[in-house]
Amino acid sequence: MLVKTYGSAITGVNASTVTIEVSVEKGASFNLVGLPDNAVKESASRVDSALRQCGFNMFGNRVVINMAPADLKKEGASYDLPIAIGILAASGNMNGINLDKYVIMGELSLDGSLRPIHGVLPIAIEARRKHFKGIILPLENTREAAIVNNLEVYGAGHISQVIGFFNGDTNLPQVQFDTREEFAKSLNSYEYDFADVKGQEEVKRALEIAAAGGHNVIMIGAPGSGKTMLAKRLPSILPPLSLEESLETTQIHSVAGKMKKEDALIAVRPFRAPHHTISDVGLCGGSSKPMPGEISLAHNGVLFLDEFPEFRRATLEILRQPMEERKVTISRAAMTVEYPASFQLVAAMNPCPCGYYTHPTIECTCSPGAVSKYLHKISGPLMDRIDIHLVVLPLSPTELANKKPGESSATIRERVVKAREIQAERYKDYAGIHCNAQINTKLFNKYCSVDSQCQQLMAKAMEKLGLSARAYDRILKVARTIADLEGAENITVTHLSEAINYRSLDRDNWGR
């Protein structure tokens, strides 16, 4: 007898429906075809043990399983459950009438219990797109799948429950989830707040500008000056995620297996802080089975790279293309996948090997030229993509003793949101451009033009401060954002003067 069950295969952050055709006849063999990987091939042992626990013997027959389409690679143990259900239905041990209405996915333990799987959200989205009535999953995955509306989501803890569901003997619990209500409930629930930060008003102002314009930032300062503390609070002043952004972000984390059991939807912007020993694959994604890397996990959020010069130079160079294109393409012999990677980079570093070049009271012990050499561990093209350079100085004892709370993240976020609304209106006719940091040359010439007085100021700054040519565009983009924060239509000398101060590392005398 021939029976069909339905599962899904993940490619990138999207899913494709897989038809699992099972034929059971007289004989004693087991054949699995359709480009399965080793984990799928090993399902025979797991399925056999699980079915024996339920009183069935799989290997008393000739079993042939085809996973279509045959040119799509099938990976992982999540096909155990649809294969087992197909074998039971094809051998007449289970009612298979309604199998074509459901996508079934789950990994089997030897005792028949179900283990959670990865990539449930894109699987559920694909099931709804293909007009399936529902989806049957391990219990731990049901909340994540339930955020997809117009799709019945059922959870099971053991294969016997799934068998009983199709036989009409058992009612599986249907999980329902109010996506908008849960999203609104979790929105803006940040762990860190700028109210906790003492002093550092100039740095906080610069981070507000960075949030308002989507600008990348590098902070340079002595150990203990608060660089990491400040970076962790940047997501709390970014505009709240939209529901569309939330679903897109959740999809990436679902595929990567980063979703917690209690989480159904990521409602706050991600903050990823990989260690400087991270590999190229860990940062950009890939491996033999392509998975999202840290830059994709930071999509719609912040990628924080502490100890910036300590990262391998080749690893950092990987960032250059994703920072421009806001996506990363992983090419392998068998497939090419594309992951979103629209992140805001925040880097932090010591000013020199000993760490105290900029410290107001501790003397730097580095040899002549060591400061410049340390900074030049970061390539010019990568530094070119960072708009704002900040020198972070340690707080004085008086500032540390001050118990007065600073301005809250909520207050700062209100100003940032207003500036982003101005930019959204300005760039509404340009696809893929949402903030000042993303504008191309054509839009730069249109919206970052300045009068003769500003041009004179820029010329003096380039000459006296020794600013590099690459600083020119960056300064004007940041000045455009400062103007937006004030609600000004045009860039003025005041806006430009403040923006010039945020290019410390471009000055010829830095590190000498």
Side-chain angles (χ1 to χ4, degrees):
M1 183 178 177
L2 177 64
V3 166
K4 295 180 181 180
T5 59
Y6 297 89
S8 239
I10 303 292
T11 305
V13 293
N14 299 309
S16 302
T17 300
V18 173
T19 303
I20 301 165
E21 302 172 325
V22 183
S23 173
V24 177
E25 300 174 352
K26 291 183 180 181
S29 63
F30 182 87
N31 294 292
L32 177 61
V33 298
L35 212 60
D37 72 349
N38 287 334
V40 180
K41 292 175 182 177
E42 291 169 355
S43 66
S45 299
R46 293 188 296 272
V47 169
D48 178 47
S49 177
L51 293 183
R52 286 179 186 274
Q53 294 296 319
C54 298
F56 303 104
N57 183 7
M58 182 181 81
F59 287 115
N61 302 288
R62 179 175 179 266
V63 179
V64 179
I65 301 170
N66 177 45
M67 306 179 78
D71 59 347
L72 178 65
K73 191 170 182 63
K74 323 303 185 305
E75 299 175 319
S78 56
Y79 298 101
D80 291 355
L81 183 58
I83 287 174
I85 294 299
I87 290 172
L88 289 176
S91 60
N93 290 303
M94 193 195 84
N95 188 345
I97 293 177
N98 294 318
L99 288 177
D100 60 342
K101 297 179 180 178
Y102 297 91
V103 168
I104 307 169
M105 296 293 281
E107 178 183 346
L108 284 171
S109 297
L110 296 183
D111 62 358
S113 59
L114 295 177
R115 296 179 181 273
I117 62 173
H118 296 168
V120 167
L121 181 56
I123 291 172
I125 291 172
E126 174 68 7
R128 182 186 64 180
R129 193 178 71 84
K130 288 297 182 70
H131 305 294
F132 283 94
K133 180 181 179 182
I135 184 170
I136 298 173
L137 298 164
L139 280 170
E140 290 89 340
N141 296 123
T142 51
R143 274 178 57 82
E144 184 183 332
I147 65 178
V148 179
N149 55 19
N150 300 323
L151 183 73
E152 296 178 5
V153 178
Y154 297 96
H158 195 276
I159 187 175
S160 59
Q161 295 174 282
V162 182
I163 297 169
F165 174 77
F166 285 107
N167 285 335
D169 302 329
T170 305
N171 289 322
L172 288 177
Q174 183 178 349
V175 180
Q176 295 182 334
F177 188 88
D178 190 328
T179 305
R180 294 189 180 276
E181 181 183 340
E182 290 294 323
F183 176 70
K185 190 185 299 181
S186 304
L187 202 62
N188 298 329
S189 56
Y190 296 101
E191 182 179 359
Y192 303 104
D193 196 289
F194 268 101
D196 304 327
V197 181
K198 298 178 181 180
Q200 302 292 11
E201 297 304 325
E202 292 181 2
V203 182
K204 286 156 69 173
R205 163 67 175 172
L207 290 177
E208 178 183 338
I209 294 166
H215 302 288
N216 299 318
V217 181
I218 184 168
M219 293 185 285
I220 183 165
S225 56
K227 302 185 296 294
T228 302
M229 183 182 187
L230 288 158
K232 285 182 177 179
R233 283 155 177 77
L234 181 60
S236 69
I237 63 171
L238 290 171
L241 283 173
S242 66
L243 183 57
E244 182 182 356
E245 288 176 325
S246 177
L247 289 169
E248 190 178 44
T249 305
T250 304
Q251 204 167 334
I252 297 169
H253 285 248
S254 174
V255 169
K258 302 295 183 181
M259 296 294 293
K260 298 177 182 177
K261 178 182 177 181
E262 62 274 13
D263 292 339
L265 196 64
I266 294 175
V268 295
R269 294 191 180 274
F271 179 85
R272 304 296 300 183
H275 193 261
H276 63 260
T277 57
I278 191 171
S279 67
D280 299 0
V281 170
L283 188 64
C284 76
S287 81
S288 56
K289 177 185 176 183
M291 294 291 285
E294 289 291 332
I295 62 175
S296 295
L297 294 171
H299 180 63
N300 291 324
V302 174
L303 178 67
F304 177 51
L305 301 183
D306 202 1
E307 306 297 345
F308 201 40
E310 303 303 328
F311 284 80
R312 290 176 55 250
R313 190 181 179 104
T315 302
L316 288 179
E317 293 305 297
I318 291 172
L319 293 172
R320 287 162 53 181
Q321 186 175 357
M323 287 170 70
E324 291 290 329
E325 299 183 359
R326 301 195 297 283
K327 63 183 179 181
V328 59
T329 303
I330 310 296
S331 297
R332 297 290 182 267
M335 68 176 73
T336 298
V337 298
E338 186 175 282
Y339 295 113
S342 181
F343 58 89
Q344 189 167 352
L345 176 66
V346 178
M349 61 178 286
N350 293 332
C352 62
C354 80
Y356 294 104
Y357 176 68
T358 58
H359 201 284
T361 58
I362 302 176
E363 186 178 353
C364 174
T365 60
C366 296
S367 60
V371 179
S372 179
K373 183 179 179 182
Y374 190 68
L375 179 62
H376 281 86
K377 282 183 161 184
I378 306 163
S379 72
L382 181 57
M383 193 67 79
D384 183 34
R385 288 164 171 80
I386 301 177
D387 296 346
I388 296 177
H389 306 165
L390 300 174
V391 177
V392 184
L393 299 175
L395 297 179
S396 66
T398 304
E399 290 174 308
L400 286 171
N402 184 12
K403 295 183 179 180
K404 183 181 178 180
E407 192 175 26
S408 70
S409 290
T411 303
I412 301 172
R413 187 167 60 245
E414 288 179 8
R415 297 195 294 266
V416 169
V417 169
K418 287 180 182 178
R420 284 289 186 106
E421 287 172 351
I422 292 171
Q423 293 166 53
E425 178 64 24
R426 180 187 298 141
Y427 306 127
K428 64 182 180 180
D429 296 328
Y430 305 99
I433 296 177
H434 309 288
C435 57
N436 292 329
Q438 298 172 349
I439 60 176
N440 53 33
T441 304
K442 181 180 178 181
L443 294 178
F444 173 83
N445 293 331
K446 183 176 181 180
Y447 294 111
C448 295
S449 59
V450 292
D451 58 23
S452 58
Q453 191 177 4
C454 289
Q455 289 175 357
Q456 290 174 10
L457 176 61
M458 280 295 293
K460 289 180 181 178
M462 299 286 285
E463 180 183 350
K464 290 187 177 181
L465 300 177
L467 296 175
S468 67
R470 69 171 179 256
Y472 185 87
D473 287 4
R474 304 293 171 179
I475 289 172
L476 286 176
K477 286 183 181 181
V478 173
R480 177 68 267 171
T481 300
I482 296 170
D484 290 340
L485 279 167
E486 293 187 2
E489 185 175 348
N490 298 313
I491 298 171
T492 66
V493 170
T494 305
H495 306 142
L496 198 58
S497 299
E498 184 178 359
I500 290 169
N501 288 329
Y502 299 135
R503 294 300 296 188
S504 303
L505 302 185
D506 264 329
R507 299 177 184 181
D508 284 345
N509 62 352
W510 177 264
R512 292 186 178 180

